[in-house]
Amino acid sequence: MREKRIEKFANRCFGCSRKPCHFGCPLKNEIRDFIQLVKEKKIEDACAILDNTTVLPSICGRICPHEKQCQGSCIRGKRTRPVQIGRIEAYLGDYAIEHEIPLKKESSKGKGFHVAVVGGGPAGLTCAAFLAKQGVEVTIYEKHAYLGGLLQHGIPSFRLNKTLLKKEIRRILSLGIHVKLNQELGVHFDLNFLEKKYDAVFLAVGANHSKTLGIEGEELEGVYGGNELLENMDHPNYQGKIVAIIGGGDVAMDVARTIQRKKPKKVVVFYRRSEGEMPAEKVEIKHAKKEGIHFLFQAKPVRILGKEKVEKIEYVKTKYTEKKEMKKLTSIKGSEKKYKVDYVIRCLGSCLEDQIQNLNLTYTESGRIKIKENRQTSKRKIFAGGDCADTMHTVAWASQAGKEAAFEILDYLQKQKSKKRG
Ligand SMILES: Cc1cc2nc3c(=O)[nH]c(=O)nc-3n(C[C@H](O)[C@H](O)[C@H](O)COP(=O)(O)OP(=O)(O)OC[C@H]3O[C@@H](n4cnc5c(N)ncnc54)[C@H](O)[C@@H]3O)c2cc1C
């Protein structure tokens, strides 16, 4: 049944010579080519094409923002619906898992080298896989008791099946990657230790610390960070309570929808701009509304009120003023209103955790780890990528950073080897 549907999707592909879908994909998957093989019913060959560029097809096929990436570039989509590339990719990823098709080693260029990867999210897993494919001995250090990063503890299970995630990770690890769980950089070991023990290090620690609101009352009991709530699952009891979510991105939607499942009295999203400008995926906003979540648009929180605990949130209405054709968002004077709430959840973006900010590396103005074009940090042996160092925060972009880093690290290791020889 699924096979037939996938074939039907594949048959809609024009097989464009310019392959815009390939360029729309952060991982540069050879979409046109694997779709052609699906048309020809050569499923194992199609899986092999996909394995050349990605190790997370079952995941990316499901949770990538396809409309902004591959499907957004599909020629079919100009007039009608784009080819359902994500569905085809997920099918192939699932097929490889179900039929136990292993990821293949490609060369032994990296033989004899040892690399540590810190962080077992999409960036770390992908880097580890592409290094292992080249024969490098890789060890992942992960602070939690599990791998997957935000795929496990960020994206809620109602959007991503965790059993499937475990299977995809198992396929990656079967390349012979070593894993050390419950090992936190900055707590159980430091960079010095890694620099001494390994030929190179890849930092893929993410950036899952919620940004602060910068408004009065933020220190009150009952104010939480959305990222931490999802990661630690350390929720208060919401029953009978009103919960304010501040922010309009995907994290805000995931947090709101997670809390809504815990039976609060009401969940209200405060977003300072208009609905059309919300950065969250349209489909997520639609689901949130359907599930009964309330929205206040052009409503900017300015104060949290309460004696010890949160009691109310004060917000102002906003409007757009146009100056020299530039739209500017301003607060409407005298529009202050108070809204009775019990909890306030910050979902305004995320930053590096404290111990990562103190690694004695160089950091960018926006607070990420600064890297050179080859992904090297200010320390020679240490490379970085994914949310901790890059600006595009999606699974596919993090995975691409990991893949790029693997090839840069390999290049670095080989240069070091020839220097020693020379
Ligand atoms: C709620 C939420 C929903 C999202 N939904 C989507 C979506 O639908 N589609 C999409 O494409 N993207 C989504 N994203 C973004 C995407 O998940 C991230 O861009 C991606 O996971 C980043 O990968 P990463 O490997 O850089 O970091 P992470 O996934 O954060 O992985 C970092 C890993 O490093 C570990 N770590 C951290 N510090 C240390 C330390 N000191 N020592 C050892 N290990 C450490 C962490 O435990 C974690 O395992 C979402 C993000 C969030 C927060």
Side-chain angles (χ1 to χ4, degrees), residues 142 144 146 149-155 162 208 227 230-231:
E142 165 58 49
H144 282 297
Y146 53 82
L150 287 170
L151 300 176
Q152 178 63 38
H153 57 231
I155 304 175
K162 306 298 169 176
N208 201 36
N227 297 67
L230 290 182
E231 177 164 350

Side-chain angles (χ1 to χ4, degrees), residues 273 319-323 325-331:
R273 297 180 182 274
K319 65 173 181 183
Y320 290 96
T321 45
E322 278 196 32
K323 249 188 194 170
E325 291 165 27
M326 279 273 288
K327 249 181 155 188
K328 200 176 159 220
L329 190 74
T330 51
S331 304

Side-chain angles (χ1 to χ4, degrees), residues 63 119 122-123 142-144 149-150 159 185 205 254 387 393-395:
I63 50 108
E142 165 58 49
K143 73 171 175 181
H144 282 297
L150 287 170
R159 284 211 296 120
L185 172 64
V205 288
D254 278 343
D387 283 6
H393 297 167
T394 70
V395 174

Side-chain angles (χ1 to χ4, degrees), residues 372-408:
K372 298 179 191 152
E373 218 168 289
N374 71 347
R375 301 206 154 268
Q376 209 167 21
T377 64
S378 49
K379 293 192 179 180
R380 199 172 51 91
K381 264 189 176 184
I382 301 181
F383 295 72
D387 283 6
C388 67
D390 291 279
T391 50
M392 301 293 280
H393 297 167
T394 70
V395 174
W397 280 112
S399 189
Q400 172 62 12
K403 184 169 66 178
E404 261 175 42
F407 290 108
E408 294 294 353

Side-chain angles (χ1 to χ4, degrees), residues 107-320:
S107 82
S108 51
K109 272 187 210 161
K111 210 165 170 231
F113 294 117
H114 296 78
V115 173
V117 169
V118 188
L125 286 168
T126 308
C127 180
F130 278 89
L131 283 171
K133 279 180 176 206
Q134 305 298 329
V136 176
E137 193 87 13
V138 188
T139 306
I140 301 179
Y141 287 78
E142 165 58 49
K143 73 171 175 181
H144 282 297
Y146 53 82
L147 294 175
L150 287 170
L151 300 176
Q152 178 63 38
H153 57 231
I155 304 175
S157 49
F158 54 81
R159 284 211 296 120
L160 182 65
N161 180 321
K162 306 298 169 176
T163 310
L164 184 75
L165 172 64
K166 284 195 181 82
K167 288 183 184 169
E168 189 121 288
I169 293 175
R170 208 176 301 144
R171 186 168 183 251
I172 293 172
L173 297 184
S174 65
L175 279 163
I177 296 162
H178 309 285
V179 179
K180 289 188 187 288
L181 298 173
N182 300 309
Q183 290 299 309
E184 184 167 1
L185 172 64
V187 177
H188 302 105
F189 60 96
D190 59 17
L191 276 188
N192 229 340
F193 160 78
L194 294 178
E195 281 180 288
K196 280 191 189 137
K197 190 168 160 75
Y198 294 93
D199 298 305
V201 178
F202 179 55
L203 293 180
V205 288
N208 201 36
H209 186 54
S210 302
K211 282 189 180 161
T212 52
L213 299 168
I215 60 175
E216 192 187 318
E218 199 161 353
E219 69 296 342
L220 287 171
E221 199 183 311
V223 180
Y224 294 91
N227 297 67
E228 288 79 1
L229 274 186
L230 290 182
E231 177 164 350
N232 304 321
M233 273 302 175
D234 200 8
H235 291 271
N237 183 357
Y238 299 113
Q239 282 189 12
K241 307 286 187 196
I242 303 175
V243 187
I245 310 287
I246 317 293
D250 285 319
V251 176
M253 292 306 99
D254 278 343
V255 172
R257 295 180 67 201
T258 300
I259 294 177
Q260 182 72 350
R261 283 162 171 74
K262 297 185 181 293
K263 310 266 179 268
K265 188 171 173 191
K266 195 177 186 180
V267 177
V268 192
V269 175
F270 287 75
Y271 181 55
R272 67 194 174 115
R273 297 180 182 274
S274 66
E275 178 169 3
E277 287 168 291
M278 274 181 82
E281 291 292 302
K282 299 285 166 265
V283 61
E284 297 306 321
I285 303 168
K286 204 167 130 190
H287 285 312
K289 283 186 174 172
K290 220 170 156 186
E291 289 165 11
I293 291 158
H294 297 255
F295 286 83
L296 276 177
F297 297 110
Q298 295 192 239
K300 182 182 166 192
V302 288
R303 233 165 20 128
I304 304 169
L305 305 161
K307 281 199 187 100
E308 278 170 19
K309 281 185 180 171
V310 171
E311 290 170 20
K312 284 178 187 157
I313 193 161
E314 185 175 308
Y315 68 97
V316 288
K317 293 298 286 177
T318 62
K319 65 173 181 183
Y320 290 96

Side-chain angles (χ1 to χ4, degrees), residues 319-349:
K319 65 173 181 183
Y320 290 96
T321 45
E322 278 196 32
K323 249 188 194 170
K324 289 187 188 158
E325 291 165 27
M326 279 273 288
K327 249 181 155 188
K328 200 176 159 220
L329 190 74
T330 51
S331 304
I332 302 173
K333 262 193 190 155
S335 68
E336 290 81 3
K337 279 193 178 152
K338 293 190 179 88
Y339 199 108
K340 191 188 164 316
V341 295
D342 301 288
Y343 296 114
V344 173
I345 321 290
R346 298 179 266 120
C347 300
L348 288 179

